[in-house]
Amino acid sequence: MAIGNLSVPWQMIFGEMKWLGSDYMRGGFDRYASVLGNVTAIGISAGFYFAIILILMRPGLWKMLMGLAIVVAAIASLSKAAIFNLAIPVVTLVGLNFFPRFRVFHKFPFRAMTGFTLMVIGVVSIAILVPSVRGRVLVSLASFGVSSQEAVLIDDVDVGTSFHERLFQHPAKVFFNLDRVQGPTGHLTGAGFGMSSTALVPQPDELSIMAHNQLVEFWALGGVFYLLVFLAFLALVAMRLLSLVSYCHRHGLDRQRLFFTCMIVVMVSYGANLPFANGLTYQPTQALIFWLFFALLILPRSVLLKERQVV
């Protein structure tokens, strides 16, 4: 993930990689696709892999460099989602640390805080020293209502409008198209894959705009039952993770408990993205997390608790 993210600053320095198929603008800047996927892949996935780095990697230079690669590329990608997704695992981690069974830091984490502070200083330094990165940071801040003379919202909307579009406007349009294509029963049965305007659907076959909402997309694709199956799957994964954390806590399996706690943090980030983004089961970086959840659900506990399986 960290290496793939570097394709964004690479393009900022050496020019766009045309073969990646990106042709989007925000705030007057190009939004580059990465070798990991489309223009939103980095922003959506940032929290998943940032959580894994924060919790599971040993402190050191490599941890700081990987964290920097993800954070800088996420901000430079001009994805508003990236700002939230970088904050979600940090906030979740702090909240969970108040509960003994989920505790990651047993005492004040001086080394972790030092590394995190150095990483923040690195991000700020890069933003100050590199004009193109500074401009992108200002555009991202402008999306959150922070005024700046240098960053004018061009080809963009603020965060509040973006939330409203994904929660209400886009779903309403999708349901309208669903009714138009399938009639009243379409809201129960869905209308098939053409209902999602994604990279996986050829443009002539698109029956609807992109939902920008994984829950609405599944509803439009396979109906209510399809959506309920997906939600039931996520609920089962959450219950399994909570059960594994409790078991490890009772039996003193600290390293395994740390891994499953990390997966809970990742799942919180994953769930927070569901109403605001789609592609969470088939875009490469997001799909990897989805199938990891699947493995955690079906593998026997005896396999999951072997130390060599979780390190």
Side-chain angles (χ1 to χ4, degrees):
M1 178 69 180
I3 293 173
N5 276 6
L6 293 178
S7 59
V8 171
W10 174 278
Q11 292 176 93
M12 291 169 59
I13 298 171
F14 299 106
E16 182 182 353
M17 298 177 183
K18 298 291 185 180
W19 53 274
L20 290 176
S22 174
D23 188 23
Y24 300 94
M25 299 285 292
R26 174 166 289 172
F29 291 95
D30 288 311
R31 293 190 67 195
Y32 299 118
S34 72
V35 295
L36 299 171
N38 64 8
V39 292
T40 61
I42 289 178
I44 294 173
S45 305
F48 310 155
Y49 297 94
F50 193 51
I52 292 171
I53 287 173
L54 281 177
I55 300 173
L56 297 184
M57 279 195 72
R58 293 178 179 176
L61 180 62
W62 279 112
K63 180 173 185 174
M64 188 171 67
L65 290 176
M66 287 192 179
L68 270 175
I70 288 182
V71 172
V72 172
I75 295 174
S77 70
L78 293 174
S79 170
K80 290 188 288 291
I83 307 298
F84 285 104
N85 284 323
L86 291 173
I88 289 171
V90 176
V91 173
T92 304
L93 190 57
V94 171
L96 287 177
N97 216 57
F98 287 101
F99 302 93
R101 69 181 56 191
F102 301 111
R103 187 165 293 155
V104 173
F105 305 111
H106 294 281
K107 55 184 179 179
F108 188 81
F110 287 102
R111 295 180 66 184
M113 287 300 298
T114 301
F116 187 76
T117 302
L118 290 174
M119 189 172 63
V120 171
I121 293 172
V123 172
V124 173
S125 300
I126 292 170
I128 293 173
L129 297 174
V130 183
S132 58
V133 175
R134 182 170 64 250
R136 290 167 180 269
V137 170
L138 291 172
V139 168
S140 297
L141 291 176
S143 298
F144 288 83
V146 179
S147 60
S148 171
Q149 294 179 352
E150 298 180 55
V152 180
L153 290 178
I154 306 170
D155 304 322
D156 195 13
V157 296
D158 59 58
V159 170
T161 302
S162 184
F163 269 93
H164 187 269
E165 287 179 347
R166 281 161 170 73
L167 290 176
F168 301 106
Q169 292 183 14
H170 292 312
K173 291 177 181 178
V174 171
F175 289 136
F176 172 79
N177 290 331
L178 189 59
D179 186 72
R180 179 174 56 84
V181 172
Q182 289 290 98
T185 59
H187 294 101
L188 292 175
T189 63
F193 208 55
M195 282 302 297
S196 58
S197 170
T198 70
L200 301 180
V201 180
Q203 192 169 2
D205 297 330
E206 292 176 3
L207 301 175
S208 178
I209 65 166
M210 184 182 296
H212 288 287
N213 183 317
Q214 188 65 72
L215 305 176
V216 173
E217 179 180 329
F218 276 166
W219 191 338
L221 296 182
V224 175
F225 181 73
Y226 193 50
L227 173 60
L228 291 177
V229 168
F230 177 65
L231 292 175
F233 164 77
L234 293 180
L236 288 173
V237 173
M239 292 169 60
R240 184 80 193 280
L241 284 172
L242 292 172
S243 173
L244 287 167
V245 169
S246 297
Y247 181 89
C248 293
H249 179 65
R250 290 196 307 270
H251 292 83
L253 302 173
D254 196 55
R255 298 191 71 181
Q256 292 90 332
R257 182 189 61 81
L258 188 66
F259 174 78
F260 297 126
T261 299
C262 177
M263 290 301 101
I264 289 175
V265 174
V266 171
M267 191 167 193
V268 170
S269 297
Y270 189 90
N273 278 279
L274 291 175
F276 305 106
N278 54 338
L280 288 160
T281 57
Y282 53 81
Q283 289 286 351
T285 51
Q286 295 96 291
L288 181 62
I289 299 298
F290 174 79
W291 290 108
L292 176 57
F293 289 157
F294 191 84
L296 292 171
L297 182 62
I298 66 171
L299 288 175
R301 189 171 65 185
S302 59
V303 173
L304 292 173
L305 293 180
K306 288 181 180 179
E307 187 173 9
R308 62 181 180 180
Q309 296 290 336
V310 299
V311 171

